């Protein structure tokens, strides 16, 4: 077999026979059904978000109900609504304050691309500020689309590995609140 | 002098209590809270987490949460007191656990010639011990708020400290009437005196039960008294800067305090392990066909089961209160504690004294 010096090659060769890969599966299973949301709600999509969280569509069925308003305890940053350039530093700060592992959910056309606000005041898609994991367009998106997006995110989380998970800080702005002692 | 059977008995009892509280009630309360909120809001609640295709009505969501939180980043903010920041969750959890030491969860049974009393420590000042330990939980909260180097944490901690001290005064006074009635501070003796159903605390001290439960929920900082962690005002209160397992330890402390409060209520007001109109010796006689050891063992299991059923019902009651009421404003919390519950408990002490003096209340 020869010497294995590449970690991906090692994973391919050893695959399921080594305990760390099984641990990855258990952790992924846990993360998949336990998103604590940080609802970053700035505009009208918030009404649809309430609908998703409410009795009719009930996002809690997927284990993603508990909102944590401290970014330290949140896993999934729900960016719901238009992000203006005034709002952008706040969004980046909240993203930087979140602890790993973290995911970002772009909810609605405005967060995906700026939507109909094609002007100087609006951020043209939040992926110009922070890395986004799932895009759900629509103005506002139907709750079914949001649930579909959440399920797709769950499928993505299952495939992730511990090792390539760290997102770090946003590529823009200052990393002021992100120092770990 | 501690003999080997005594040592084994104590270790088994401690293991049982730890298993019951941390192993069983902590995850189950998390699940009840989730499911009860879903039912009360006409939702379905978590039902997707499955192992081998089984969802077990959403129970695995508690497991998923635990796995995720253990593998979440452990965060200490810049400028925090690192050592105290790490210590605070532990200081919060421990008092809720050790208060259980004096709560009897069964009667006295004679197993293979060994007298077994189902309580870890039969203190003659059990009631005082519980209150002393409960006030220690304040330290965990205050240290957490102070060590985090965060405005919201500190404000939450100050609120929590003021609230917990205020309600502890009233909580202690609500129990005085009960202590006068049973003429004992030992929880074991109080439970033994409730063998007669007509001497149960709830029958003679219903107002004290209402006052005590209110104070206990306030002391536990749960809705409607959760001003220390009010999301709309203080982000997440004193545990704003905690992530992962440390954050969930504060919640575990809250859940364990629910169990402790319920156990205390069961002991003081609902006769502990006693079944109405059935005495422990009568139960052992009734089960006599199992042989002396079998009868004692069966009676012990029935006693523990009755205790756990009463405990669970009281936990459900607290959960219903939590999901029914909105949050008080902070000044309303203080007003309720000092201007209403405290005078009411003083009046109740007077009424109980008058009742005992005039013979309206029976001597027990």
């Amino acid at each position: 077999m020869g010497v294995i010096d590449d970690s991906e090659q090692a994973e391919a060769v050893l695959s399921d026979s080594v305990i760390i890969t099984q641990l990855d599966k258990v952790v992924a299973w846990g993360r998949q059904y336990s998103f604590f949301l940080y609802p970053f709600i700035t505009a009208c999509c918030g009404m649809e978000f309430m609908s998703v969280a409410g009795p009719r569509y009930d996002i809690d069925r997927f284990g993603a109900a508990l909102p944590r308003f401290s970014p330290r305890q949140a896993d999934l940053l729900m960016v719901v609504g238009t992000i203006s350039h005034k709002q952008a530093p706040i969004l980046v700060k909240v993203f930087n304050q979140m602890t790993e592992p973290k995911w970002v959910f772009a909810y609605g056309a405005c967060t995906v691309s700026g939507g109909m606000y094609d002007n100087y005041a609006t951020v043209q898609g939040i992926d110009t500020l922070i890395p986004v994991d799932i895009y759900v367009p629509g103005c506002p998106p139907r709750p079914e689309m949001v649930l579909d997006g959440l399920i797709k995110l769950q499928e993505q989380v299952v495939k992730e590995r511990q090792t390539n998970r760290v997102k770090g800080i946003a590529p823009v702005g200052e990393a002021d609140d992100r120092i770990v002692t | 002098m501690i003999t080997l059977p005594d040592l084994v008995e104590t270790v088994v009892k401690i293991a049982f209590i730890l298993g019951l509280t941390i192993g069983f009630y902590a995850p189950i309360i998390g699940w009840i809270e989730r499911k009860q909120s879903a039912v009360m809001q006409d939702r379905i609640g978590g039902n997707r987490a499955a192992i081998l295709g089984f969802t077990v009505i959403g129970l695995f969501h508690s497991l998923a949460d635990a796995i995720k939180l253990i593998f979440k980043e452990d965060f200490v903010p810049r400028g925090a007191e690192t050592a105290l920041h790490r210590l605070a969750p532990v200081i919060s959890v421990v008092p809720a656990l050790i208060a259980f030491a004096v709560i009897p969860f069964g009667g006295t049974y004679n197993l293979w010639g060994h007298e077994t009393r189902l309580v870890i420590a039969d203190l003659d000042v059990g009631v005082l011990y519980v209150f002393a330990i409960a006030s220690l939980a304040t330290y965990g909260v205050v240290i957490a708020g102070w060590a985090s180097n965060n405005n919201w944490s500190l404000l939450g901690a100050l609120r929590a400290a003021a609230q917990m001290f205020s309600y502890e005064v009233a909580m202690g006074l609500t129990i005085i009437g009960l202590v006068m009635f049973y003429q004992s501070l030992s929880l074991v003796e109080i439970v033994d005196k409730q063998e007669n159903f007509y001497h149960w605390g709830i029958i003679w001290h219903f107002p004290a039960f209402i006052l005590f439960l209110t104070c206990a929920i306030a002391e536990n900082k749960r809705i409607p008294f959760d001003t220390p962690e009010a999301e709309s005002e203080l982000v997440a209160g004193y545990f704003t800067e905690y992530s992962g397992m440390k954050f969930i330890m504060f919640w575990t402390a809250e859940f364990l305090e629910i169990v402790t409060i319920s156990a205390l209520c069961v002991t003081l007001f609902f006769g502990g392990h006693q079944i109405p109109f059935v005495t422990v010796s009568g139960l052992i006689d009734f089960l006599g066909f199992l042989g002396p050891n079998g009868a004692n063992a069966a009676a012990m299991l029935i006693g523990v089961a009755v205790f756990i059923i009463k405990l669970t019902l009281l936990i459900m009651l607290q959960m219903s209160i939590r999901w029914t009421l909105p949050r008080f404003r902070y000044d309303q919390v203080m007003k309720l504690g000092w201007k209403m519950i405290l005078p009411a408990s003083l009046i109740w002490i007077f009424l109980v004294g008058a009742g005992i003096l005039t013979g309206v209340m029976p001597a027990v």
Side-chain angles (χ1 to χ4, degrees), chain A residues 23 26-31 33-36 53-56 58-75 97-103 151 154 162 175-181, chain B residues 34-35 37-38 41-51 60-61 63-69 71-80 82 86 150 229 231 235-236 239-244 247-248 251:
Chain A
L23 183 70
V26 172
V27 173
W29 179 85
R31 285 176 178 170
Y33 292 116
S34 172
F35 287 118
F36 289 1
R56 192 163 181 97
D58 190 14
I59 206 168
D60 188 20
R61 287 179 294 148
F62 304 91
L66 189 68
R68 294 310 306 162
F69 296 97
S70 165
R72 312 290 189 207
Q73 296 148 14
D75 309 297
Q97 283 176 337
M98 284 171 74
T99 49
E100 303 287 344
K102 54 187 172 186
W103 294 272
I151 293 168
Q154 285 182 334
Q162 280 273 322
D176 49 350
D177 266 307
R178 207 56 198 78
I179 292 172
V180 181
T181 50
Chain B
R34 190 169 204 150
K35 218 60 180 172
S37 78
Q41 296 167 2
D42 198 16
R43 293 189 286 113
I44 296 171
N47 67 352
R48 293 298 165 108
I51 295 176
F60 289 140
H61 277 279
L63 183 64
D65 284 343
I67 291 171
K68 184 210 72 182
L69 286 160
F71 287 93
K72 186 107 176 131
E73 180 187 346
D74 184 20
F75 180 78
V76 179
R78 178 171 50 184
T82 313
R86 296 209 166 118
N150 180 314
E229 48 175 290
E231 281 103 346
V235 187
F239 53 75
T240 302
E241 293 286 1
Y242 283 87
S243 72
F247 146 62
I248 215 68
W251 274 20

Side-chain angles (χ1 to χ4, degrees), chain A residues 109-132:
Chain A
C110 293
T111 56
V112 173
S113 66
M116 66 175 185
Y117 301 104
D118 186 8
N119 57 30
Y120 62 90
T122 305
V123 176
Q124 299 299 303
I126 57 164
D127 52 5
T128 58
L129 303 170
I130 53 177
V132 176

Side-chain angles (χ1 to χ4, degrees), chain B residues 170-192:
Chain B
M171 193 164 147
L173 286 174
T174 53
I175 296 302
I176 300 282
L178 216 77
V179 172
M180 283 156 66
F181 184 69
Y182 291 116
Q183 297 179 16
S184 172
L185 279 168
S186 159
L187 291 173
V188 173
E189 212 167 306
I190 288 175
V191 167
D192 284 347

Side-chain angles (χ1 to χ4, degrees), chain B residues 26 37 46 62 88 146 165 204 228 244 266 290 320 325 352:
Chain B
S37 78
S62 293
W146 186 73
F165 284 135
W204 291 101
V266 168
L290 294 167
S320 310
L325 297 174
V352 172

Side-chain angles (χ1 to χ4, degrees), chain A residues 1 3-16 20-21 24 159 161 163-165:
Chain A
M1 197 182 284
V3 180
I4 301 167
D5 49 1
D6 182 54
S7 66
E8 274 182 29
Q9 192 190 350
E11 267 188 21
V13 172
L14 299 171
S15 71
D16 286 352
I20 187 75
T21 58
D24 265 344
K159 287 180 203 141
R161 294 293 162 110
T163 42
N164 58 17
R165 189 43 263 165

Side-chain angles (χ1 to χ4, degrees), chain A residues 42-154:
Chain A
T42 57
C44 37
C45 278
M47 294 296 149
E48 288 300 312
F49 180 75
M50 290 171 205
S51 172
V52 176
R56 192 163 181 97
Y57 294 97
D58 190 14
I59 206 168
D60 188 20
R61 287 179 294 148
F62 304 91
L66 189 68
R68 294 310 306 162
F69 296 97
S70 165
R72 312 290 189 207
Q73 296 148 14
D75 309 297
L76 182 58
L77 179 60
M78 278 276 198
V79 189
V80 183
T82 321
I83 303 297
S84 62
H85 281 295
K86 279 274 188 191
Q87 194 72 243
I90 305 169
L91 177 65
V92 170
K93 189 161 196 170
V94 166
F95 177 80
N96 288 347
Q97 283 176 337
M98 284 171 74
T99 49
E100 303 287 344
K102 54 187 172 186
W103 294 272
V104 177
F105 195 109
Y107 189 120
C110 293
T111 56
V112 173
S113 66
M116 66 175 185
Y117 301 104
D118 186 8
N119 57 30
Y120 62 90
T122 305
V123 176
Q124 299 299 303
I126 57 164
D127 52 5
T128 58
L129 303 170
I130 53 177
V132 176
D133 288 276
I134 199 99
Y135 296 88
V136 177
C139 188
R142 292 276 311 165
E144 290 92 338
M145 287 172 71
V146 179
L147 293 183
D148 186 46
L150 186 71
I151 293 168
K152 289 211 163 65
L153 181 64
Q154 285 182 334

